[in-house]
Amino acid sequence: MITQKLNADRQGINTAAEILKNGGVVAIPTETVYGLAANAYDEKAIKAVFKAKGRPQDNPLIVHISDMEMLNEVAEDIPKTAFRCAEKFWPGPLTMVLKRSDKISDCVSAGLSTVAVRMPSEQTAHKIIKESRLPLAAPSANVSGKPSPTTYTHVINDLDGKIDAVVMGAECTVGVESTVITLAGEHPVLLRPGAVTIEQLKEILPDITVDKAVLSELAPGQKAASPGMKYKHYAPQTETFLVEGENFADFVNTKQNALAVCFAEESEQIKIPKIVYGTNTNPETFANKLFGVLREVDKTGVKTVFVHAPEKSGVGLAVYNRLIRAAAFKVIKL
Ligand code: TXA
Ligand code: MG
C-alpha cells in the first residue's frame, strides 16, 4: 500500500474525509497526539486500524466527534455530569467513557457496554470530522507498544505503507494523550491522566477517584478498568528506569554506558550523555517533549536510560503515568 501524504489545508482535509467515507484509514493531527482514524460505524475499517497498529483486539478505541449531536448518536443514558464536563473541557483533551448506543459495534468497544468519546480542539481534526460527517474511532497512530506520535514524521516512521494516508499537520501542542474518565459507573473514576488534570476535574466531579492502575502495575489476573492500562507501553528498546528523588545528578554520574533524561535546572551538573526534557517548574514543557524524547533514546546506542521522574501533580501525573509504563514499572527511589 502507498500511504498518501496530505497537507493540512482545505484540499488535504477534503481528501482525508473522502478516504474515510470510503472505508480508509487516515492518520490525523490532534492537540494531544496523532490519531489513526476510521469511520466508527464501519467494522471493516476499524479492523484495518487494529491491523495497521498491531493492536490487541481487547483494547477499545476512542470515538472522536465534532458536535454534541454526534455525542447523542454514539452514547446513551448520558449523565448530567457529562454535559457539565463537556461544557467546561470540550473541545479539548478529555475523553469520557459512557454507555454506548447500538450504533457502536463490539469492534470499537472491544465488547464492553461502554464507549469512550472525545471532541478534539485541534482545527484540522475538527474539520475532518465535520467534513466527513462521521464519528471517527482513532487510537494513537503508533505501532502498538511504541511511544505515541506527536509529529507526522513519527507516524510515517511507524506506519508508512500500512495506512491509506497521513495528514501532515503541526506538532501536537499537548504531547500526551487525553485524560480518560469513566462516568458509566456509580462514581466517576480517572482511568488515564492527561492535560485536563484531576484537580480541574474535582471542581465538577468532587467524588472522582483515581484508578489504581494509574500509578501501579496490575496484579496478575486483575481486571483493568481501562484495557489499555494493562499493556507495557511507550517503551524504548533501551532498558529504562524511572528515578525519583533530589540527587539525580549524583546518582547518574556514577553510571556507565547510560543516558540521563533530565530537567533543564539540573542539566549542568550531569556529566554523562543527557537529554533535557523540559523545566521542572513547568510540567507542560516536558509533557510536550516526552514522546519525542522516548523515541530519541534508542538512537543514542547506550545500554541503560535513567529518567528523572516529575512530581505527580497537575500534568506531571500524566507524564509520570506514561514513564512508569515506559520503564515497565522499574522505579528507583533515591
Ligand atoms: O488523546 C488521545 O486520547 C488520543 C488521540 C488520538 O485522541 N487517542 C488515544 O487512543 O490515546 P488510544 O487508543 O491510544 O488510547 C485509548 C485509551 C486506552 O487505554 C483504552 O483502553 C481506553 O482509552 N478506552 C477506550 N475505550 C474505553 C472504554 N469503553 N472503557 C474504558 N477504557 C477505554
Ligand atoms: Mg495509544
Side-chain angles (χ1 to χ4, degrees):
M1 184 189 290
I2 292 172
T3 301
Q4 283 190 61
K5 317 281 187 306
L6 305 172
N7 289 321
D9 55 13
R10 188 30 70 194
Q11 196 186 343
I13 287 165
N14 288 347
T15 310
E18 257 335 284
I19 297 172
L20 290 161
K21 282 196 274 188
N22 290 320
V25 172
V26 183
I28 62 170
T30 85
E31 69 277 22
T32 56
V33 301
Y34 273 70
L36 188 57
N39 175 358
Y41 299 146
D42 182 341
E43 281 201 26
K44 216 170 138 212
I46 300 299
K47 284 191 177 136
V49 168
F50 278 89
K51 182 156 181 255
K53 275 186 63 100
R55 184 181 177 97
Q57 294 286 341
D58 66 348
N59 196 2
L61 307 183
I62 295 173
V63 174
H64 297 69
I65 60 172
S66 58
D67 57 55
M68 294 305 275
E69 221 174 286
M70 277 190 186
L71 177 67
N72 286 309
E73 241 184 61
V74 299
E76 264 178 28
D77 298 342
I78 304 168
K80 276 205 189 84
T81 47
F83 291 106
R84 293 189 53 213
C85 286
E87 207 167 287
K88 177 132 191 221
F89 301 113
W90 279 0
L94 176 70
T95 296
M96 294 191 266
V97 173
L98 302 163
K99 190 166 175 248
R100 74 162 147 141
S101 78
D102 293 342
K103 296 196 84 169
I104 297 296
S105 71
D106 275 346
C107 215
V108 170
S109 69
L112 299 174
S113 58
T114 52
V115 61
V117 194
R118 156 166 133 78
M119 189 188 287
S121 60
E122 206 277 340
Q123 279 308 300
T124 307
H126 178 83
K127 287 176 190 160
I128 293 170
I129 304 168
K130 227 176 134 188
E131 181 67 35
S132 64
R133 276 182 264 117
L134 290 170
L136 299 178
S140 49
N142 50 293
V143 164
S144 230
K146 281 237 232 163
S148 295
T150 51
T151 65
Y152 69 81
T153 313
H154 295 159
V155 178
I156 291 171
N157 287 343
D158 273 19
L159 297 173
D160 198 19
K162 295 183 183 167
I163 59 176
D164 295 294
V166 53
V167 178
M168 300 184 295
E171 184 172 347
C172 303
T173 51
V174 175
V176 288
E177 307 89 337
S178 61
T179 305
V180 180
I181 60 171
T182 178
L183 297 175
E186 243 173 76
H187 302 288
V189 182
L190 176 78
L191 301 177
R192 181 177 72 181
V196 171
T197 64
I198 182 85
E199 294 85 353
Q200 289 174 308
L201 287 164
K202 276 189 176 157
E203 288 172 23
I204 296 179
L205 308 165
D207 58 336
I208 190 168
T209 55
V210 178
D211 192 79
K212 272 205 202 79
V214 166
L215 288 177
S216 55
E217 194 170 13
L218 286 170
Q222 203 177 345
K223 198 166 170 278
S226 180
M229 291 282 193
K230 69 182 178 208
Y231 298 107
K232 182 176 165 187
H233 240 116
Y234 320 113
Q237 306 278 310
T238 316
E239 179 158 44
T240 305
F241 291 90
L242 188 57
V243 183
E244 280 185 48
E246 300 268 304
N247 305 323
F248 183 71
D250 291 344
F251 171 77
V252 292
N253 285 343
T254 64
K255 303 291 176 194
Q256 274 160 14
N257 200 0
L259 173 79
V261 174
C262 64
F263 300 115
E265 290 91 335
E266 62 200 356
S267 169
E268 261 184 39
Q269 286 97 278
I270 292 174
K271 307 298 177 209
I272 66 165
K274 64 198 163 193
I275 303 179
V276 173
Y277 81 127
T279 53
N280 200 359
T281 43
N282 185 358
E284 278 78 18
T285 57
F286 51 83
N288 181 260
K289 280 217 171 137
L290 175 72
F291 289 135
V293 168
L294 288 180
R295 280 175 183 259
E296 286 306 305
V297 163
D298 289 333
K299 295 184 191 155
T300 60
V302 295
K303 188 166 159 276
T304 322
V305 53
F306 297 97
V307 185
H308 200 177
E311 295 289 331
K312 293 175 213 131
S313 58
V315 196
L317 182 67
V319 175
Y320 191 100
N321 167 273
R322 307 314 189 265
L323 282 172
I324 201 172
R325 282 167 176 76
F329 297 93
K330 296 192 297 294
V331 180
I332 296 169
K333 293 194 171 144
L334 298 178

